Each structure stands twice: as structure tokens, then as C-alpha cells.
Amino acid sequence: MKIVIVGAGLAGPLLAQGLHRAGITVELYEREAADQHSQGYRISLDPEGDLALRSCLPSDRYERILATAGKRGTGVRFLDPQLHVVREMLVPPRADEDVHGRHLTVDRLTLRKILLTGIDVHHGASFQRFELLDDGRVRTYFDDGAVTDADLLVAADGTHSRIRAQWLPDAEVIDTGQAEIYGKTALTDEIRALTPDAALDGFSVIAGTDGRFMSLAAHEFASGDGDDYVMWVVAAPTATVPADLSAMDKQQLQKIAMKLIVDWPENLAALVRHADSESVHNTTMRTAKPLPHWATGPVTLMGDAIHTMIPAGSSAATALRDAALLCRRITERTGSLRDAVHAYETEMLDYGFAMVERSLRSIT
Ligand SMILES: Cc1cc2nc3c(=O)[nH]c(=O)nc-3n(C[C@H](O)[C@H](O)[C@H](O)COP(=O)(O)OP(=O)(O)OC[C@H]3O[C@@H](n4cnc5c(N)ncnc54)[C@H](O)[C@@H]3O)c2cc1C
């Protein structure tokens, strides 16, 4: 049996690890070059994410993730533009974390490096299209000329999934009309002094009444061994930002982000001004619309490729949960591969879209 996975973000490598460990032939394809590091920021993982990592990874790699995680904050705080805390959701450590999973904050670059350890990745291979074969298998074509046949093609190619577009052309992903510019600022003493306390002790969201908000969170490596930083995201209604944001260079994006919060306390714009311009990116907030289960075939999907959701701190853990569940259904199957995939899809669609729904409730 051979399984092809497209997308080496989070879910893709975790599934590859789990299948590889079970002795199943797996090929992982990624459009980015091996030395391209466009995916660096702090992410918080729900306990489901911790459990998923634990179930698929060899113990040394899992332990490495714990050892390189960020200092744990006390929770999430919502602030008004005058930086008064208006609401807080504290997340105290639980005694039973070993059983039920722990909340983790991780540096995405570090996590990916660990997830990609010990597995081969075909870098620089962008998925182009697939073809269903008469024998029930699937043939996948890549932009670099690579062609590969498999029993199962797994889409882990994120929000703009090209595989979803071909396999489920009716699946809809909606732009919520919110533009985001994000980046990282090295956590020097000067930056620490500029950073609101709430962002040094967990995740913080400064929300205006006009649709603007800024998320801020420090990432301090718990081991003391890493380059600590503050991650920031400045978001505003798309109608209030220049239409050609995607065509702008990183310095221009940085300037726009500062301009968007120019009437907020000066230290916030200063955090953006001091950012490493290379880390600055822009995106738009998107959410997937629930869809009925399709006829299971030799193509399936995981993570943002199927249930992308607006940022509410759960999408990465849900993507990892998909990988762990699909891995388990395949490796522990007693029937056909198709039945195992069907069982995975049924369960994943249920909790995945429940999380999408929950993320939407978090902003209303
Ligand atoms: C600034 C920011 C902060 C975030 N913070 C959090 C957080 O705190 N908590 C949280 O839960 N989530 C967070 N997220 C969201 C989280 O990163 C995603 O939900 C998660 O990465 C989804 O994982 P995935 O594996 O499904 O897809 P992705 O991580 O998006 O990976 C998709 C991969 O597929 C590759 N790819 C795409 N197209 C192709 C193609 N055609 N051919 C080959 N490869 C392709 C991409 O290059 C990428 O490597 C954040 C996102 C951003 C932008």
C-alpha cells in the first residue's frame, strides 16, 4: 500500500510520521523549497493537538516538542484599545494533562523542523492535478514534472487546497472580509517594556469597536534556549485596507499595519515598527462552509484543506487531530482502506465543522 500526502505544513508531516512508523509506504510532497521558512509564528495548541502529536511521533521527537515549547501563560485576555483588560479566560494547568493532553504554545518553525525529522519530503513539488485510475488508485501530477500513483492521496495543502478544488468543487471557503498583517518582533528588553503585560503572560487580543483588532503574544522558549519574540497580528475590515495588499513588499505591509493602529497606544505601533521585516506576511480570514459527506474514494482531506476556520486557537490542533485519527483508522483497520477512510471522514467532518462553528461564535 502506498499513500501520497500533499502539504508539509502541520497535518501532513504528522500523518507521514505515523504511517512511516507503522511501516506503510508514504510520500510527502511540499511546494516550498527546503530552505524556505515562510511558516514561522507562535501557535497555541489545544490538548487535542498534544494528544495527536503523542500518538503519531516516536517518543524522542515528541519529547523534543515539549522541550522546545514556549513558556506557558495563564490564559487569553481581551483588551480595549486603551489596553484595559475587559475579559479573561484563564487556563490553569490540569493535574491529568498526561492523560487528557496539555495546552502547548509552540514556535511553528521549530515544531515543523521536528515534525519533518526522519522523513523524506519532496520539496519544490507543487500539486497540479490528480487522475482516478481504473483500478481504484489515484495518479498525482506535480508542477515539477513528478508523477506518482497511490492507493490514497491525502490533501494537507491548507486553506487554498487545489486538491479540494478538484475533488470537492462544490466545497466553499468564504472570505470573512477581514484582512490580516502579521509578523514577529525580537523580544529584547526594549520590546519587553513596550509589550502589554497581557501579551507577556499568554495570548491577548486588543479589539476596537470598528472591526480592527490586534493579537499579541510573546513566545519565550521555556528552555531559555531560543530566540524569543512577540508575535503580532493586525487585522481590519478588508474595505479599510488597500486593495493591492498582496502585491506589496514586506516593508510596505509593515507600514500599513502601523498605520492601521496609529490612533491606538504608541507602543503597539512601535512593536510593529521593530519587527523583522522578513517575518511580515498578509492573509485574509476565511472559513469553510459545512458540506455533506461525499462518496469516499482514493482522495481524502485533512486540516485547513477541508475545515479552515477563523483564528480562535484551535485550527492547528484540529489539523493534527485529523492526522492522528486518519493514521489510526488506517493502521488499525480490519476491513478495506476505503472503509477506514470513510470512518475517518465521518468522524472528522463532525468534529471539524463543530470547531468551525465554535470559531465563528468566538467573534459574535
Ligand atoms: C499568524 C497565524 C497565527 C496562527 N496561530 C494559530 C494558533 O495560535 N493556534 C492555532 O490553532 N492555529 C493558528 N493558526 C492557524 C494554523 O497555522 C493552521 O490552522 C494550521 O497550520 C493548519 O495546518 P495544515 O497542515 O492543515 O495546513 P498548513 O499548515 O497551511 O500547511 C499546508 C501546506 O501545504 C503546502 N501547499 C499548499 N499548496 C500546495 C500545493 N499546491 N502543492 C504542494 N504543497 C502545497 C503549503 O506550502 C503548506 O506547507 C495561525 C495562522 C496564522 C497565519
Side-chain angles (χ1 to χ4, degrees), residues 320-333:
L320 296 173
R321 178 180 179 179
D322 293 352
L325 177 65
L326 180 56
C327 184
R328 205 163 53 243
R329 290 284 169 263
I330 292 172
T331 56
E332 295 175 4
R333 75 189 187 285

PDB file of all heavy atoms in Angstrom, residues 320-333:
ATOM      1  N   LEU A 320      -3.941  18.565  13.445  1.00  0.00           N
ATOM      2  CA  LEU A 320      -3.121  17.465  13.980  1.00  0.00           C
ATOM      3  C   LEU A 320      -4.012  16.291  14.399  1.00  0.00           C
ATOM      4  O   LEU A 320      -3.663  15.122  14.211  1.00  0.00           O
ATOM      5  CB  LEU A 320      -2.284  17.957  15.171  1.00  0.00           C
ATOM      6  CG  LEU A 320      -1.240  19.039  14.849  1.00  0.00           C
ATOM      7  CD1 LEU A 320      -0.602  19.573  16.130  1.00  0.00           C
ATOM      8  CD2 LEU A 320      -0.156  18.497  13.916  1.00  0.00           C
ATOM      9  N   ARG A 321      -5.171  16.617  14.954  1.00  0.00           N
ATOM     10  CA  ARG A 321      -6.118  15.563  15.352  1.00  0.00           C
ATOM     11  C   ARG A 321      -6.559  14.750  14.134  1.00  0.00           C
ATOM     12  O   ARG A 321      -6.661  13.522  14.199  1.00  0.00           O
ATOM     13  CB  ARG A 321      -7.344  16.228  16.024  1.00  0.00           C
ATOM     14  CG  ARG A 321      -8.413  15.277  16.444  1.00  0.00           C
ATOM     15  CD  ARG A 321      -9.557  16.039  17.099  1.00  0.00           C
ATOM     16  NE  ARG A 321     -10.626  15.160  17.506  1.00  0.00           N
ATOM     17  CZ  ARG A 321     -11.728  15.563  18.116  1.00  0.00           C
ATOM     18  NH1 ARG A 321     -11.890  16.839  18.410  1.00  0.00           N
ATOM     19  NH2 ARG A 321     -12.669  14.711  18.465  1.00  0.00           N
ATOM     20  N   ASP A 322      -6.804  15.438  13.010  1.00  0.00           N
ATOM     21  CA  ASP A 322      -7.167  14.737  11.778  1.00  0.00           C
ATOM     22  C   ASP A 322      -6.074  13.738  11.401  1.00  0.00           C
ATOM     23  O   ASP A 322      -6.361  12.585  11.052  1.00  0.00           O
ATOM     24  CB  ASP A 322      -7.298  15.717  10.600  1.00  0.00           C
ATOM     25  CG  ASP A 322      -8.471  16.672  10.733  1.00  0.00           C
ATOM     26  OD1 ASP A 322      -9.289  16.497  11.653  1.00  0.00           O
ATOM     27  OD2 ASP A 322      -8.552  17.599   9.908  1.00  0.00           O
ATOM     28  N   ALA A 323      -4.824  14.225  11.450  1.00  0.00           N
ATOM     29  CA  ALA A 323      -3.703  13.370  11.035  1.00  0.00           C
ATOM     30  C   ALA A 323      -3.633  12.126  11.919  1.00  0.00           C
ATOM     31  O   ALA A 323      -3.463  11.002  11.431  1.00  0.00           O
ATOM     32  CB  ALA A 323      -2.396  14.157  11.104  1.00  0.00           C
ATOM     33  N   ALA A 324      -3.792  12.328  13.224  1.00  0.00           N
ATOM     34  CA  ALA A 324      -3.692  11.198  14.155  1.00  0.00           C
ATOM     35  C   ALA A 324      -4.858  10.228  13.947  1.00  0.00           C
ATOM     36  O   ALA A 324      -4.688   9.005  13.986  1.00  0.00           O
ATOM     37  CB  ALA A 324      -3.660  11.705  15.593  1.00  0.00           C
ATOM     38  N   LEU A 325      -6.047  10.783  13.713  1.00  0.00           N
ATOM     39  CA  LEU A 325      -7.225   9.924  13.522  1.00  0.00           C
ATOM     40  C   LEU A 325      -7.109   9.123  12.229  1.00  0.00           C
ATOM     41  O   LEU A 325      -7.348   7.902  12.212  1.00  0.00           O
ATOM     42  CB  LEU A 325      -8.497  10.787  13.501  1.00  0.00           C
ATOM     43  CG  LEU A 325      -9.792  10.028  13.239  1.00  0.00           C
ATOM     44  CD1 LEU A 325     -10.097   9.042  14.368  1.00  0.00           C
ATOM     45  CD2 LEU A 325     -10.971  10.987  13.050  1.00  0.00           C
ATOM     46  N   LEU A 326      -6.720   9.795  11.141  1.00  0.00           N
ATOM     47  CA  LEU A 326      -6.597   9.083   9.865  1.00  0.00           C
ATOM     48  C   LEU A 326      -5.527   7.993   9.978  1.00  0.00           C
ATOM     49  O   LEU A 326      -5.712   6.868   9.502  1.00  0.00           O
ATOM     50  CB  LEU A 326      -6.260  10.073   8.740  1.00  0.00           C
ATOM     51  CG  LEU A 326      -6.109   9.473   7.340  1.00  0.00           C
ATOM     52  CD1 LEU A 326      -7.360   8.689   6.919  1.00  0.00           C
ATOM     53  CD2 LEU A 326      -5.831  10.578   6.304  1.00  0.00           C
ATOM     54  N   CYS A 327      -4.444   8.324  10.648  1.00  0.00           N
ATOM     55  CA  CYS A 327      -3.365   7.351  10.842  1.00  0.00           C
ATOM     56  C   CYS A 327      -3.901   6.122  11.589  1.00  0.00           C
ATOM     57  O   CYS A 327      -3.676   4.980  11.188  1.00  0.00           O
ATOM     58  CB  CYS A 327      -2.229   8.015  11.621  1.00  0.00           C
ATOM     59  SG  CYS A 327      -0.817   6.946  11.819  1.00  0.00           S
ATOM     60  N   ARG A 328      -4.642   6.387  12.659  1.00  0.00           N
ATOM     61  CA  ARG A 328      -5.174   5.284  13.480  1.00  0.00           C
ATOM     62  C   ARG A 328      -6.160   4.443  12.684  1.00  0.00           C
ATOM     63  O   ARG A 328      -6.117   3.224  12.706  1.00  0.00           O
ATOM     64  CB  ARG A 328      -5.840   5.878  14.723  1.00  0.00           C
ATOM     65  CG  ARG A 328      -5.876   4.927  15.893  1.00  0.00           C
ATOM     66  CD  ARG A 328      -6.153   5.613  17.215  1.00  0.00           C
ATOM     67  NE  ARG A 328      -7.338   6.451  17.212  1.00  0.00           N
ATOM     68  CZ  ARG A 328      -7.328   7.758  17.404  1.00  0.00           C
ATOM     69  NH1 ARG A 328      -6.191   8.392  17.599  1.00  0.00           N
ATOM     70  NH2 ARG A 328      -8.447   8.463  17.402  1.00  0.00           N
ATOM     71  N   ARG A 329      -7.050   5.123  11.958  1.00  0.00           N
ATOM     72  CA  ARG A 329      -8.051   4.371  11.178  1.00  0.00           C
ATOM     73  C   ARG A 329      -7.367   3.490  10.137  1.00  0.00           C
ATOM     74  O   ARG A 329      -7.813   2.380   9.860  1.00  0.00           O
ATOM     75  CB  ARG A 329      -9.029   5.341  10.492  1.00  0.00           C
ATOM     76  CG  ARG A 329      -9.975   6.046  11.451  1.00  0.00           C
ATOM     77  CD  ARG A 329     -11.091   5.127  11.923  1.00  0.00           C
ATOM     78  NE  ARG A 329     -11.814   5.733  13.028  1.00  0.00           N
ATOM     79  CZ  ARG A 329     -11.587   5.477  14.316  1.00  0.00           C
ATOM     80  NH1 ARG A 329     -10.676   4.589  14.662  1.00  0.00           N
ATOM     81  NH2 ARG A 329     -12.270   6.075  15.266  1.00  0.00           N
ATOM     82  N   ILE A 330      -6.283   3.988   9.541  1.00  0.00           N
ATOM     83  CA  ILE A 330      -5.587   3.197   8.508  1.00  0.00           C
ATOM     84  C   ILE A 330      -4.792   2.054   9.144  1.00  0.00           C
ATOM     85  O   ILE A 330      -4.884   0.912   8.720  1.00  0.00           O
ATOM     86  CB  ILE A 330      -4.653   4.108   7.667  1.00  0.00           C
ATOM     87  CG1 ILE A 330      -5.480   5.076   6.822  1.00  0.00           C
ATOM     88  CG2 ILE A 330      -3.730   3.265   6.773  1.00  0.00           C
ATOM     89  CD1 ILE A 330      -4.673   6.135   6.099  1.00  0.00           C
ATOM     90  N   THR A 331      -4.027   2.388  10.189  1.00  0.00           N
ATOM     91  CA  THR A 331      -3.117   1.358  10.720  1.00  0.00           C
ATOM     92  C   THR A 331      -3.850   0.300  11.550  1.00  0.00           C
ATOM     93  O   THR A 331      -3.370  -0.809  11.694  1.00  0.00           O
ATOM     94  CB  THR A 331      -1.999   2.005  11.576  1.00  0.00           C
ATOM     95  OG1 THR A 331      -2.612   2.781  12.608  1.00  0.00           O
ATOM     96  CG2 THR A 331      -1.095   2.887  10.752  1.00  0.00           C
ATOM     97  N   GLU A 332      -5.020   0.661  12.099  1.00  0.00           N
ATOM     98  CA  GLU A 332      -5.738  -0.314  12.930  1.00  0.00           C
ATOM     99  C   GLU A 332      -6.918  -0.933  12.195  1.00  0.00           C
ATOM    100  O   GLU A 332      -7.781  -1.565  12.813  1.00  0.00           O
ATOM    101  CB  GLU A 332      -6.230   0.365  14.223  1.00  0.00           C
ATOM    102  CG  GLU A 332      -5.084   0.819  15.117  1.00  0.00           C
ATOM    103  CD  GLU A 332      -5.562   1.603  16.344  1.00  0.00           C
ATOM    104  OE1 GLU A 332      -6.783   1.733  16.552  1.00  0.00           O
ATOM    105  OE2 GLU A 332      -4.684   2.087  17.082  1.00  0.00           O
ATOM    106  N   ARG A 333      -6.984  -0.735  10.881  1.00  0.00           N
ATOM    107  CA  ARG A 333      -8.184  -1.183  10.150  1.00  0.00           C
ATOM    108  C   ARG A 333      -8.272  -2.713  10.129  1.00  0.00           C
ATOM    109  O   ARG A 333      -7.242  -3.401  10.100  1.00  0.00           O
ATOM    110  CB  ARG A 333      -8.189  -0.610   8.731  1.00  0.00           C
ATOM    111  CG  ARG A 333      -7.218  -1.282   7.794  1.00  0.00           C
ATOM    112  CD  ARG A 333      -7.107  -0.534   6.476  1.00  0.00           C
ATOM    113  NE  ARG A 333      -6.301  -1.292   5.536  1.00  0.00           N
ATOM    114  CZ  ARG A 333      -4.991  -1.395   5.587  1.00  0.00           C
ATOM    115  NH1 ARG A 333      -4.313  -0.780   6.555  1.00  0.00           N
ATOM    116  NH2 ARG A 333      -4.336  -2.120   4.700  1.00  0.00           N
TER     117      ARG A 333
END
